[in-house]
Amino acid sequence: MRFPAPVEAVLRDAGWAAGRRVPEVAARVIRTVCAYTAGDGSRHTPFPAAERALTEFAGVYVDQDGPGVALRRAPFAIDPTMAVPTAATLAAFGRVLGVRLFPLGVEGTDDAILAIDERGRVFALDPAGEWHLGDDLDAALTTLITGTEPPRVADDGTWSPAP
């Protein structure tokens, strides 16, 4: 089974289904995001991990609110157009990690930026710091939906597994 049953149920309620593919939506949101240039000249550049994630999950909006395993479960959207003006922020964080990042969407009411790196790892960036949500999108979605506490990314771009 790809996702734990409760996680799959939440994703299905949000419009996802196994085998879902929305390449036209993914291409449109990628074009929109890539058209933006930050004040410092930074731009979003897609890569295969971002394209794969968006081809399957673009337009999935999870409406949840309530207690989770360790944290309150917040709504989130896999819609990079909601994080367009993050090119400079993601470029700076990418330099710390040594990889490129692409926005996936937002958590809460613009509380955090969700981003994927070239390796497929997913992160949340909020005013309190950066968080490693999972080594792949499936793990990150599980973290978000269950309210599991993710490890914080240190200033040197490393993190320890969550307790």
Side-chain angles (χ1 to χ4, degrees):
M1 184 172 212
R2 181 171 174 188
F3 294 104
V7 171
E8 184 170 322
V10 169
L11 289 171
R12 286 185 182 282
D13 287 348
W16 174 86
R20 179 181 190 262
R21 292 189 45 79
V22 289
E24 302 83 15
V25 174
R28 180 178 45 79
V29 298
I30 288 170
R31 274 193 311 275
T32 299
V33 169
C34 292
Y36 174 81
T37 303
D40 70 352
S42 297
R43 297 184 67 128
H44 296 295
T45 304
F47 41 80
E51 293 165 350
R52 282 190 305 273
L54 293 169
T55 295
E56 183 174 4
F57 288 97
V60 170
Y61 299 85
V62 173
D63 186 18
Q64 63 180 4
D65 184 22
V69 172
L71 303 171
R72 186 161 196 82
R73 297 172 24 230
F76 65 91
I78 305 299
D79 180 350
T81 66
M82 297 174 76
V84 167
T86 62
T89 301
L90 294 183
F93 184 48
R95 284 190 294 276
V96 171
L97 297 174
V99 292
R100 291 183 298 157
L101 291 158
F102 195 84
L104 286 178
V106 297
E107 180 184 14
T109 310
D110 295 329
D111 298 331
I113 302 162
L114 302 177
I116 190 166
D117 76 4
E118 295 171 292
R119 299 177 190 165
R121 301 175 301 185
V122 179
F123 301 89
L125 295 78
D126 66 25
E130 299 85 21
W131 313 90
H132 174 250
L133 298 179
D135 284 337
D136 58 37
L137 185 56
D138 290 4
L141 292 170
T142 300
T143 297
L144 290 166
I145 291 169
T146 61
T148 301
E149 186 171 1
R152 184 175 184 159
V153 179
D155 290 344
D156 66 358
T158 62
W159 58 90
S160 297

